[in-house]
Amino acid sequence: MHGGPSPGTRRYHVVVALFDSQTGARISDADVKVGLSEVALSGSTRKLEPMQVAGTVTYGNYFDFPVDGQYLIRVQIRRSRTPGDINAVFSHQHVSP
């Protein structure tokens, strides 16, 4: 899936599921990008690919988490029927298993 993780790396699968806030319906027609960075550092941005999970659409891709610590995950969602982008930022404390 998405080329898979490289063996021996600190690469993890990031998944985003989207729902309409008014109807609760799953959103399956969006372009989704995620930017991942350590706090106060630049990072990488990747397009999330649509994928089927349990008969519904989610979006995912692999990202490197090179060190344990605090990360910002910036999600950008674009839909053809909606003007402008929808943006969300999440904070993630990463600890390797």
Side-chain angles (χ1 to χ4, degrees):
M1 182 173 7
H2 322 300
S6 304
T9 64
R10 294 172 55 105
R11 183 166 269 211
Y12 295 87
H13 195 227
V14 174
V15 176
V16 173
L18 302 175
F19 299 87
D20 184 287
S21 64
Q22 294 178 353
T23 66
R26 182 76 72 143
I27 294 172
S28 60
D29 64 346
D31 287 320
V32 183
K33 292 182 184 176
V34 164
L36 177 80
S37 64
E38 293 176 67
V39 173
L41 297 175
S42 63
S44 62
T45 300
R46 285 192 176 82
K47 181 176 180 174
L48 299 191
E49 300 171 6
M51 54 188 215
Q52 289 285 324
V53 174
T56 61
V57 174
T58 59
Y59 303 85
N61 209 330
Y62 286 94
F63 287 84
D64 293 321
F65 289 79
V67 298
D68 288 349
Q70 193 73 26
Y71 286 84
L72 292 178
I73 300 172
R74 294 176 177 88
V75 181
Q76 179 188 52
I77 302 158
R78 181 171 290 162
R79 296 182 73 191
S80 61
R81 296 176 290 170
T82 305
D85 294 339
I86 300 166
N87 296 289
V89 178
F90 301 91
S91 178
H92 169 66
Q93 179 66 40
H94 185 75
V95 179
S96 295

mmCIF file of all heavy atoms in Angstrom, residues 36-75:
data_model
loop_
_atom_site.group_PDB
_atom_site.id
_atom_site.type_symbol
_atom_site.label_atom_id
_atom_site.label_comp_id
_atom_site.label_asym_id
_atom_site.label_seq_id
_atom_site.Cartn_x
_atom_site.Cartn_y
_atom_site.Cartn_z
ATOM 1 N N LEU A 36 3.918 17.091 7.778
ATOM 2 C CA LEU A 36 4.369 16.546 9.056
ATOM 3 C C LEU A 36 5.707 17.167 9.391
ATOM 4 O O LEU A 36 6.620 17.168 8.557
ATOM 5 C CB LEU A 36 4.514 15.024 8.961
ATOM 6 C CG LEU A 36 5.051 14.349 10.209
ATOM 7 C CD1 LEU A 36 3.935 14.193 11.227
ATOM 8 C CD2 LEU A 36 5.655 13.016 9.870
ATOM 9 N N SER A 37 5.835 17.715 10.590
ATOM 10 C CA SER A 37 7.107 18.314 10.979
ATOM 11 C C SER A 37 7.286 18.218 12.486
ATOM 12 O O SER A 37 6.312 18.175 13.238
ATOM 13 C CB SER A 37 7.175 19.776 10.553
ATOM 14 O OG SER A 37 6.197 20.539 11.225
ATOM 15 N N GLU A 38 8.541 18.167 12.884
ATOM 16 C CA GLU A 38 8.841 18.328 14.297
ATOM 17 C C GLU A 38 8.523 19.778 14.632
ATOM 18 O O GLU A 38 8.615 20.660 13.777
ATOM 19 C CB GLU A 38 10.304 18.032 14.581
ATOM 20 C CG GLU A 38 10.666 16.569 14.355
ATOM 21 C CD GLU A 38 12.141 16.341 14.547
ATOM 22 O OE1 GLU A 38 12.612 16.473 15.697
ATOM 23 O OE2 GLU A 38 12.818 16.042 13.550
ATOM 24 N N VAL A 39 8.161 20.041 15.873
ATOM 25 C CA VAL A 39 7.813 21.396 16.276
ATOM 26 C C VAL A 39 9.001 22.316 15.997
ATOM 27 O O VAL A 39 10.139 21.980 16.292
ATOM 28 C CB VAL A 39 7.408 21.422 17.766
ATOM 29 C CG1 VAL A 39 7.214 22.843 18.252
ATOM 30 C CG2 VAL A 39 6.138 20.614 17.978
ATOM 31 N N ALA A 40 8.735 23.457 15.371
ATOM 32 C CA ALA A 40 9.715 24.504 15.042
ATOM 33 C C ALA A 40 10.692 24.093 13.948
ATOM 34 O O ALA A 40 11.683 24.766 13.729
ATOM 35 C CB ALA A 40 10.479 24.957 16.291
ATOM 36 N N LEU A 41 10.448 23.008 13.235
ATOM 37 C CA LEU A 41 11.299 22.598 12.123
ATOM 38 C C LEU A 41 10.453 22.429 10.873
ATOM 39 O O LEU A 41 9.251 22.232 10.943
ATOM 40 C CB LEU A 41 12.013 21.282 12.435
ATOM 41 C CG LEU A 41 12.994 21.286 13.603
ATOM 42 C CD1 LEU A 41 13.521 19.881 13.847
ATOM 43 C CD2 LEU A 41 14.137 22.246 13.348
ATOM 44 N N SER A 42 11.102 22.490 9.708
ATOM 45 C CA SER A 42 10.382 22.199 8.476
ATOM 46 C C SER A 42 10.217 20.686 8.373
ATOM 47 O O SER A 42 10.924 19.931 9.021
ATOM 48 C CB SER A 42 11.122 22.742 7.264
ATOM 49 O OG SER A 42 12.369 22.108 7.144
ATOM 50 N N GLY A 43 9.309 20.253 7.559
ATOM 51 C CA GLY A 43 9.061 18.825 7.436
ATOM 52 C C GLY A 43 8.712 18.452 6.022
ATOM 53 O O GLY A 43 9.126 19.107 5.074
ATOM 54 N N SER A 44 7.934 17.408 5.870
ATOM 55 C CA SER A 44 7.547 16.929 4.549
ATOM 56 C C SER A 44 6.046 17.045 4.376
ATOM 57 O O SER A 44 5.290 17.017 5.336
ATOM 58 C CB SER A 44 7.997 15.479 4.362
ATOM 59 O OG SER A 44 7.361 14.645 5.310
ATOM 60 N N THR A 45 5.629 17.177 3.113
ATOM 61 C CA THR A 45 4.206 17.200 2.769
ATOM 62 C C THR A 45 3.969 16.130 1.724
ATOM 63 O O THR A 45 4.748 15.977 0.782
ATOM 64 C CB THR A 45 3.800 18.577 2.203
ATOM 65 O OG1 THR A 45 4.056 19.577 3.190
ATOM 66 C CG2 THR A 45 2.323 18.599 1.836
ATOM 67 N N ARG A 46 2.917 15.365 1.907
ATOM 68 C CA ARG A 46 2.557 14.322 0.955
ATOM 69 C C ARG A 46 1.057 14.343 0.724
ATOM 70 O O ARG A 46 0.282 14.645 1.621
ATOM 71 C CB ARG A 46 2.917 12.946 1.511
ATOM 72 C CG ARG A 46 4.364 12.639 1.485
ATOM 73 C CD ARG A 46 4.572 11.143 1.769
ATOM 74 N NE ARG A 46 5.967 10.812 1.654
ATOM 75 C CZ ARG A 46 6.871 11.008 2.602
ATOM 76 N NH1 ARG A 46 6.504 11.533 3.746
ATOM 77 N NH2 ARG A 46 8.124 10.678 2.405
ATOM 78 N N LYS A 47 0.695 13.963 -0.488
ATOM 79 C CA LYS A 47 -0.709 13.752 -0.796
ATOM 80 C C LYS A 47 -1.105 12.407 -0.184
ATOM 81 O O LYS A 47 -0.360 11.428 -0.275
ATOM 82 C CB LYS A 47 -0.926 13.718 -2.306
ATOM 83 C CG LYS A 47 -2.364 13.528 -2.685
ATOM 84 C CD LYS A 47 -2.584 13.602 -4.173
ATOM 85 C CE LYS A 47 -4.062 13.399 -4.446
ATOM 86 N NZ LYS A 47 -4.380 13.584 -5.843
ATOM 87 N N LEU A 48 -2.268 12.380 0.454
ATOM 88 C CA LEU A 48 -2.791 11.118 0.961
ATOM 89 C C LEU A 48 -3.595 10.463 -0.146
ATOM 90 O O LEU A 48 -4.372 11.120 -0.841
ATOM 91 C CB LEU A 48 -3.671 11.337 2.193
ATOM 92 C CG LEU A 48 -3.001 11.969 3.416
ATOM 93 C CD1 LEU A 48 -3.915 11.861 4.627
ATOM 94 C CD2 LEU A 48 -1.656 11.365 3.721
ATOM 95 N N GLU A 49 -3.401 9.175 -0.310
ATOM 96 C CA GLU A 49 -4.068 8.426 -1.369
ATOM 97 C C GLU A 49 -5.370 7.835 -0.845
ATOM 98 O O GLU A 49 -5.416 7.325 0.275
ATOM 99 C CB GLU A 49 -3.155 7.311 -1.854
ATOM 100 C CG GLU A 49 -1.843 7.820 -2.413
ATOM 101 C CD GLU A 49 -0.848 6.704 -2.683
ATOM 102 O OE1 GLU A 49 -1.204 5.515 -2.547
ATOM 103 O OE2 GLU A 49 0.291 7.036 -3.038
ATOM 104 N N PRO A 50 -6.449 7.895 -1.666
ATOM 105 C CA PRO A 50 -7.688 7.239 -1.246
ATOM 106 C C PRO A 50 -7.457 5.735 -1.155
ATOM 107 O O PRO A 50 -6.715 5.158 -1.951
ATOM 108 C CB PRO A 50 -8.683 7.560 -2.357
ATOM 109 C CG PRO A 50 -8.021 8.532 -3.259
ATOM 110 C CD PRO A 50 -6.575 8.539 -2.960
ATOM 111 N N MET A 51 -8.078 5.107 -0.166
ATOM 112 C CA MET A 51 -7.955 3.657 -0.003
ATOM 113 C C MET A 51 -9.232 3.118 0.617
ATOM 114 O O MET A 51 -9.923 3.822 1.343
ATOM 115 C CB MET A 51 -6.738 3.321 0.852
ATOM 116 C CG MET A 51 -6.701 4.013 2.177
ATOM 117 S SD MET A 51 -5.147 3.750 3.007
ATOM 118 C CE MET A 51 -5.722 3.693 4.682
ATOM 119 N N GLN A 52 -9.541 1.892 0.287
ATOM 120 C CA GLN A 52 -10.737 1.239 0.812
ATOM 121 C C GLN A 52 -10.406 0.552 2.136
ATOM 122 O O GLN A 52 -9.455 -0.232 2.222
ATOM 123 C CB GLN A 52 -11.257 0.191 -0.173
ATOM 124 C CG GLN A 52 -11.864 0.775 -1.426
ATOM 125 C CD GLN A 52 -13.238 1.356 -1.177
ATOM 126 O OE1 GLN A 52 -14.024 0.839 -0.388
ATOM 127 N NE2 GLN A 52 -13.542 2.449 -1.849
ATOM 128 N N VAL A 53 -11.191 0.860 3.165
ATOM 129 C CA VAL A 53 -11.072 0.194 4.457
ATOM 130 C C VAL A 53 -12.484 -0.167 4.891
ATOM 131 O O VAL A 53 -13.325 0.723 5.051
ATOM 132 C CB VAL A 53 -10.395 1.092 5.514
ATOM 133 C CG1 VAL A 53 -10.423 0.433 6.877
ATOM 134 C CG2 VAL A 53 -8.981 1.435 5.101
ATOM 135 N N ALA A 54 -12.742 -1.451 5.023
ATOM 136 C CA ALA A 54 -14.065 -1.934 5.452
ATOM 137 C C ALA A 54 -15.183 -1.370 4.583
ATOM 138 O O ALA A 54 -16.234 -0.978 5.066
ATOM 139 C CB ALA A 54 -14.302 -1.619 6.920
ATOM 140 N N GLY A 55 -14.937 -1.277 3.265
ATOM 141 C CA GLY A 55 -15.967 -0.836 2.333
ATOM 142 C C GLY A 55 -16.187 0.666 2.286
ATOM 143 O O GLY A 55 -17.142 1.122 1.667
ATOM 144 N N THR A 56 -15.339 1.447 2.961
ATOM 145 C CA THR A 56 -15.462 2.901 2.925
ATOM 146 C C THR A 56 -14.113 3.506 2.530
ATOM 147 O O THR A 56 -13.090 2.847 2.568
ATOM 148 C CB THR A 56 -15.888 3.478 4.292
ATOM 149 O OG1 THR A 56 -14.891 3.140 5.254
ATOM 150 C CG2 THR A 56 -17.228 2.922 4.726
ATOM 151 N N VAL A 57 -14.122 4.774 2.160
ATOM 152 C CA VAL A 57 -12.910 5.447 1.713
ATOM 153 C C VAL A 57 -12.252 6.184 2.879
ATOM 154 O O VAL A 57 -12.919 6.914 3.610
ATOM 155 C CB VAL A 57 -13.214 6.442 0.570
ATOM 156 C CG1 VAL A 57 -11.985 7.253 0.215
ATOM 157 C CG2 VAL A 57 -13.733 5.703 -0.645
ATOM 158 N N THR A 58 -10.967 5.956 3.045
ATOM 159 C CA THR A 58 -10.121 6.769 3.914
ATOM 160 C C THR A 58 -8.933 7.203 3.061
ATOM 161 O O THR A 58 -8.807 6.794 1.905
ATOM 162 C CB THR A 58 -9.636 6.006 5.156
ATOM 163 O OG1 THR A 58 -8.888 4.866 4.731
ATOM 164 C CG2 THR A 58 -10.788 5.558 6.032
ATOM 165 N N TYR A 59 -8.069 8.015 3.624
ATOM 166 C CA TYR A 59 -6.916 8.541 2.890
ATOM 167 C C TYR A 59 -5.670 8.257 3.714
ATOM 168 O O TYR A 59 -5.670 8.440 4.933
ATOM 169 C CB TYR A 59 -7.069 10.058 2.684
ATOM 170 C CG TYR A 59 -8.341 10.427 1.959
ATOM 171 C CD1 TYR A 59 -9.537 10.596 2.642
ATOM 172 C CD2 TYR A 59 -8.351 10.582 0.583
ATOM 173 C CE1 TYR A 59 -10.712 10.917 1.973
ATOM 174 C CE2 TYR A 59 -9.515 10.903 -0.098
ATOM 175 C CZ TYR A 59 -10.694 11.070 0.605
ATOM 176 O OH TYR A 59 -11.852 11.380 -0.057
ATOM 177 N N GLY A 60 -4.589 7.825 3.047
ATOM 178 C CA GLY A 60 -3.399 7.506 3.816
ATOM 179 C C GLY A 60 -2.117 7.585 3.018
ATOM 180 O O GLY A 60 -2.122 7.597 1.787
ATOM 181 N N ASN A 61 -1.011 7.610 3.756
ATOM 182 C CA ASN A 61 0.330 7.539 3.179
ATOM 183 C C ASN A 61 1.314 7.336 4.324
ATOM 184 O O ASN A 61 0.955 7.468 5.491
ATOM 185 C CB ASN A 61 0.684 8.799 2.388
ATOM 186 C CG ASN A 61 1.655 8.504 1.256
ATOM 187 O OD1 ASN A 61 2.475 7.598 1.341
ATOM 188 N ND2 ASN A 61 1.559 9.280 0.194
ATOM 189 N N TYR A 62 2.550 7.013 3.972
ATOM 190 C CA TYR A 62 3.595 6.790 4.966
ATOM 191 C C TYR A 62 4.402 8.058 5.190
ATOM 192 O O TYR A 62 4.692 8.796 4.251
ATOM 193 C CB TYR A 62 4.527 5.661 4.514
ATOM 194 C CG TYR A 62 3.896 4.313 4.640
ATOM 195 C CD1 TYR A 62 3.252 3.723 3.569
ATOM 196 C CD2 TYR A 62 3.926 3.621 5.844
ATOM 197 C CE1 TYR A 62 2.656 2.484 3.677
ATOM 198 C CE2 TYR A 62 3.332 2.375 5.967
ATOM 199 C CZ TYR A 62 2.703 1.812 4.888
ATOM 200 O OH TYR A 62 2.113 0.586 5.011
ATOM 201 N N PHE A 63 4.785 8.290 6.450
ATOM 202 C CA PHE A 63 5.612 9.426 6.831
ATOM 203 C C PHE A 63 6.719 8.944 7.756
ATOM 204 O O PHE A 63 6.523 8.024 8.549
ATOM 205 C CB PHE A 63 4.779 10.489 7.569
ATOM 206 C CG PHE A 63 3.860 11.251 6.675
ATOM 207 C CD1 PHE A 63 2.614 10.744 6.343
ATOM 208 C CD2 PHE A 63 4.230 12.476 6.164
ATOM 209 C CE1 PHE A 63 1.751 11.445 5.516
ATOM 210 C CE2 PHE A 63 3.379 13.195 5.336
ATOM 211 C CZ PHE A 63 2.145 12.673 5.009
ATOM 212 N N ASP A 64 7.862 9.620 7.672
ATOM 213 C CA ASP A 64 8.976 9.328 8.561
ATOM 214 C C ASP A 64 8.821 10.123 9.851
ATOM 215 O O ASP A 64 8.540 11.322 9.820
ATOM 216 C CB ASP A 64 10.307 9.704 7.905
ATOM 217 C CG ASP A 64 10.626 8.814 6.713
ATOM 218 O OD1 ASP A 64 10.345 7.602 6.787
ATOM 219 O OD2 ASP A 64 11.140 9.342 5.715
ATOM 220 N N PHE A 65 9.006 9.446 10.961
ATOM 221 C CA PHE A 65 9.091 10.067 12.276
ATOM 222 C C PHE A 65 10.516 9.793 12.756
ATOM 223 O O PHE A 65 10.761 8.808 13.464
ATOM 224 C CB PHE A 65 8.069 9.456 13.239
ATOM 225 C CG PHE A 65 6.645 9.831 12.948
ATOM 226 C CD1 PHE A 65 5.930 9.207 11.937
ATOM 227 C CD2 PHE A 65 6.006 10.803 13.700
ATOM 228 C CE1 PHE A 65 4.609 9.534 11.674
ATOM 229 C CE2 PHE A 65 4.686 11.151 13.445
ATOM 230 C CZ PHE A 65 3.985 10.511 12.427
ATOM 231 N N PRO A 66 11.492 10.618 12.331
ATOM 232 C CA PRO A 66 12.897 10.280 12.538
ATOM 233 C C PRO A 66 13.339 10.198 13.998
ATOM 234 O O PRO A 66 14.271 9.467 14.313
ATOM 235 C CB PRO A 66 13.656 11.386 11.805
ATOM 236 C CG PRO A 66 12.689 12.478 11.592
ATOM 237 C CD PRO A 66 11.328 11.869 11.606
ATOM 238 N N VAL A 67 12.687 10.931 14.873
ATOM 239 C CA VAL A 67 13.051 10.882 16.292
ATOM 240 C C VAL A 67 11.778 10.871 17.130
ATOM 241 O O VAL A 67 10.711 11.288 16.667
ATOM 242 C CB VAL A 67 13.918 12.099 16.710
ATOM 243 C CG1 VAL A 67 15.237 12.120 15.952
ATOM 244 C CG2 VAL A 67 13.178 13.407 16.505
ATOM 245 N N ASP A 68 11.884 10.387 18.348
ATOM 246 C CA ASP A 68 10.769 10.498 19.279
ATOM 247 C C ASP A 68 10.632 11.965 19.672
ATOM 248 O O ASP A 68 11.625 12.683 19.793
ATOM 249 C CB ASP A 68 11.015 9.657 20.524
ATOM 250 C CG ASP A 68 10.899 8.166 20.254
ATOM 251 O OD1 ASP A 68 10.433 7.791 19.156
ATOM 252 O OD2 ASP A 68 11.271 7.372 21.135
ATOM 253 N N GLY A 69 9.401 12.423 19.836
ATOM 254 C CA GLY A 69 9.196 13.815 20.234
ATOM 255 C C GLY A 69 7.886 14.363 19.725
ATOM 256 O O GLY A 69 7.016 13.628 19.252
ATOM 257 N N GLN A 70 7.748 15.672 19.808
ATOM 258 C CA GLN A 70 6.517 16.372 19.451
ATOM 259 C C GLN A 70 6.497 16.686 17.960
ATOM 260 O O GLN A 70 7.464 17.218 17.427
ATOM 261 C CB GLN A 70 6.434 17.675 20.252
ATOM 262 C CG GLN A 70 5.094 18.340 20.218
ATOM 263 C CD GLN A 70 4.073 17.607 21.062
ATOM 264 O OE1 GLN A 70 4.408 16.928 22.012
ATOM 265 N NE2 GLN A 70 2.818 17.741 20.698
ATOM 266 N N TYR A 71 5.383 16.362 17.298
ATOM 267 C CA TYR A 71 5.199 16.627 15.869
ATOM 268 C C TYR A 71 3.917 17.408 15.655
ATOM 269 O O TYR A 71 2.962 17.284 16.425
ATOM 270 C CB TYR A 71 5.098 15.314 15.078
ATOM 271 C CG TYR A 71 6.412 14.610 14.924
ATOM 272 C CD1 TYR A 71 6.887 13.783 15.927
ATOM 273 C CD2 TYR A 71 7.175 14.770 13.778
ATOM 274 C CE1 TYR A 71 8.104 13.128 15.793
ATOM 275 C CE2 TYR A 71 8.386 14.121 13.634
ATOM 276 C CZ TYR A 71 8.845 13.305 14.647
ATOM 277 O OH TYR A 71 10.048 12.673 14.501
ATOM 278 N N LEU A 72 3.896 18.194 14.579
ATOM 279 C CA LEU A 72 2.673 18.835 14.122
ATOM 280 C C LEU A 72 2.235 18.140 12.849
ATOM 281 O O LEU A 72 3.042 17.908 11.945
ATOM 282 C CB LEU A 72 2.905 20.318 13.841
ATOM 283 C CG LEU A 72 3.196 21.188 15.055
ATOM 284 C CD1 LEU A 72 3.453 22.625 14.629
ATOM 285 C CD2 LEU A 72 2.045 21.133 16.051
ATOM 286 N N ILE A 73 0.963 17.802 12.782
ATOM 287 C CA ILE A 73 0.374 17.176 11.605
ATOM 288 C C ILE A 73 -0.644 18.170 11.059
ATOM 289 O O ILE A 73 -1.644 18.466 11.711
ATOM 290 C CB ILE A 73 -0.286 15.834 11.957
ATOM 291 C CG1 ILE A 73 0.754 14.881 12.545
ATOM 292 C CG2 ILE A 73 -0.970 15.230 10.731
ATOM 293 C CD1 ILE A 73 0.173 13.597 13.117
ATOM 294 N N ARG A 74 -0.344 18.704 9.875
ATOM 295 C CA ARG A 74 -1.210 19.701 9.241
ATOM 296 C C ARG A 74 -1.964 19.037 8.095
ATOM 297 O O ARG A 74 -1.349 18.549 7.160
ATOM 298 C CB ARG A 74 -0.368 20.861 8.719
ATOM 299 C CG ARG A 74 0.298 21.657 9.802
ATOM 300 C CD ARG A 74 1.202 22.737 9.204
ATOM 301 N NE ARG A 74 1.798 23.546 10.232
ATOM 302 C CZ ARG A 74 2.955 23.247 10.837
ATOM 303 N NH1 ARG A 74 3.636 22.170 10.480
ATOM 304 N NH2 ARG A 74 3.430 24.035 11.784
ATOM 305 N N VAL A 75 -3.284 19.044 8.191
ATOM 306 C CA VAL A 75 -4.122 18.405 7.183
ATOM 307 C C VAL A 75 -4.785 19.485 6.333
ATOM 308 O O VAL A 75 -5.381 20.426 6.867
ATOM 309 C CB VAL A 75 -5.211 17.522 7.841
ATOM 310 C CG1 VAL A 75 -6.067 16.837 6.783
ATOM 311 C CG2 VAL A 75 -4.581 16.495 8.776
#
